[in-house]
Amino acid sequence: MKDSVIILSGGMDSTTMLYEYKERIAIAVSFDYGSKHNAKEIECAKYHCEQLGVKHLIIPLAFMQQYFKSSLLIGGEEIPEGHYADENMKSTVVPFRNGIMLAIAAGIAESNGLKHVMMANHGGDHAIYPDCRPEFVSAMSEAVSAGTYENLTILAPYTDITKTDIAMRGKKLGIDYGKTWSCYKGGEHHCGKCGTCVERKEALRDAGIEDTTIYEE
């Protein structure tokens, strides 16, 4: 039964969720919020929605680039290199990004008679991204339920698993991760050095998936 909206970035995690839960996803929503890698991500999101015949919406959120501070955004400081566990990676946080996106997705869901909003946060996000943590998801789901006639809920089934776990699910589903985008720098190819590139490499390696990603290094 098609009962859900998914927030689809075009990265490994949300793309895996798109395929794993395709039977219940009616609409995929991507947000153009001015990140350095938005164009690359959205291109991938569009490709996978076309492959599965899922309705794809692209919502512009230009105000975030204009008013928010983050190295992830165009015009922000340089993207740091290293592992997600490193303190400097906190500069990539876009304040309350997921809260804003979930609220919009909830409005789209209720407007289309759907019951759930899906997001693909995972355990590796918890260290530096407050709006990916279990307590945030729980609180936001309660707020969405209280604020809608149909008592919508947020579904985040990857919250407590690792990116490697997600990659292993994708392997079983036959997902081509070469057509997903992770790199925060948004260059012609993945930089191979930023936190999300490092995490991508580790997840594909540990899941036993050939990494066809083109890296600049």
Side-chain angles (χ1 to χ4, degrees):
M1 178 181 177
K2 304 284 187 180
D3 62 359
S4 301
V5 168
I6 185 174
I7 296 176
L8 180 68
S9 70
M12 287 179 60
D13 310 324
S14 61
T15 299
T16 303
M17 185 171 286
L18 177 71
Y19 278 83
E20 184 172 6
Y21 293 92
K22 63 183 179 181
E23 300 303 325
R24 66 185 305 175
I25 294 171
I27 302 172
V29 183
S30 299
F31 293 96
D32 187 354
Y33 60 99
S35 77
K36 294 169 181 173
H37 62 314
N38 250 161
K40 293 286 190 178
E41 281 190 317
I42 290 174
E43 182 182 340
C44 292
K46 180 180 179 182
Y47 168 83
H48 290 289
C49 285
E50 289 176 348
Q51 292 297 111
L52 296 177
V54 175
K55 182 178 181 180
H56 184 217
L57 305 179
I58 302 172
I59 307 294
L61 298 177
F63 71 89
M64 294 177 73
Q65 180 193 346
Q66 185 176 0
Y67 297 112
F68 290 17
K69 182 179 180 180
S70 171
S71 64
L72 204 66
L73 301 174
I74 295 172
E77 62 188 76
E78 288 294 313
I79 297 290
E81 296 180 352
H83 199 277
Y84 262 146
D86 298 339
E87 183 71 16
N88 64 351
M89 288 304 296
K90 288 185 178 179
S91 76
T92 64
V93 173
V94 179
F96 208 62
R97 176 183 61 177
N98 285 345
I100 294 165
M101 294 179 178
L102 285 167
I104 294 169
I108 292 171
E110 186 160 51
S111 296
N112 286 274
L114 304 172
K115 304 293 186 182
H116 309 287
V117 175
M118 304 192 75
M119 65 181 294
N121 60 305
H122 65 84
D125 297 326
H126 299 173
I128 59 171
Y129 297 114
D131 58 358
C132 288
R133 295 170 185 165
E135 56 268 32
F136 166 80
V137 176
S138 178
M140 196 68 185
S141 187
E142 288 184 16
V144 166
S145 179
T148 53
Y149 278 118
E150 296 300 322
N151 303 119
L152 271 66
T153 58
I154 294 170
L155 303 180
Y158 294 170
T159 299
D160 296 317
I161 67 175
T162 68
K163 197 177 192 78
T164 297
D165 294 328
I166 294 170
M168 290 175 70
R169 294 187 185 195
K171 183 179 182 180
K172 291 180 180 178
L173 293 165
I175 297 173
D176 180 4
Y177 284 127
K179 296 187 181 298
T180 62
W181 187 268
S182 298
C183 183
Y184 280 166
K185 295 186 180 183
E188 182 63 26
H189 305 296
H190 284 69
C191 75
K193 297 178 180 178
C194 69
T196 187
C197 275
V198 172
E199 187 188 44
R200 177 188 181 96
K201 287 180 179 180
E202 291 176 347
L204 292 173
R205 179 198 67 206
D206 294 346
I209 298 172
E210 180 183 0
D211 190 353
T212 59
T213 308
I214 299 174
Y215 295 103
E216 290 183 353
E217 60 178 3

